[in-house]
Amino acid sequence: MAKGPTSGPEGDFEPRRSRQRRPSGKYPGVKGGPEPAAETPPARKMKPREVEELVARLAGPSVAARGLELVAVQYRPEAGGLILRITLDGPDGISVEDCAFVSRAVDAILEERFSSDHPFRLEVSSPGPERPLVTMEHFDRFLGRRARVKTRSALEGRTTFTGVIKSVKEQTVFLECDLGLVPIALSEIAAAKLCRETGEASC
């Protein structure tokens, strides 16, 4: 399948699929999507972090089978209501068909596993130039690139650091910034993303 253009330093196009979702009724199984386990308990209300971890764990196999990478899952309130944002990447970029496939697979997962009193928007898209950094593998892959890191608690009197990813070791990221070389434990990172390679003021 030919891939559509993706966002990056050369352009701003992002294949994206976004839809408003209200839990209701049952969805049929999605071909190629993750199958719910037989011992799955009834749907219940879940905390945001639980939703992110569940969607990442169950959608991962279907995403990988399509030759894609599940970069990040975010479930949070934003302007206009709750949003479940799934970020994908691939060797040749992400097409609109990729986004639609993952959207259908995730819909099936949510119907089986997740209960909510509020409507939310499901958004599936490519990472863009300011790619999220979630795992140690992500930081290791982008050694030498500038990144912005927000911590859960203050380090050196601040919670936001912008600098170059110098190294990663034993679940710790070493960021070269205006304070020098700052070690930040992965467990202390609340959010992180790459800076644009040009026009870095946005970072």
Side-chain angles (χ1 to χ4, degrees), residues 75-119:
Y75 179 68
R76 62 185 60 182
E78 292 188 1
L82 289 168
I83 185 167
L84 176 63
R85 179 177 293 113
I86 297 174
T87 305
L88 307 173
D89 204 357
D92 301 314
I94 302 299
S95 68
V96 174
E97 289 78 12
D98 291 329
C99 292
F101 172 85
V102 174
S103 178
R104 291 193 300 270
V106 171
D107 256 345
I109 292 171
L110 295 178
E111 189 64 28
E112 291 292 335
R113 306 293 187 95
F114 176 56
S115 175
S116 173
D117 294 330
H118 306 286

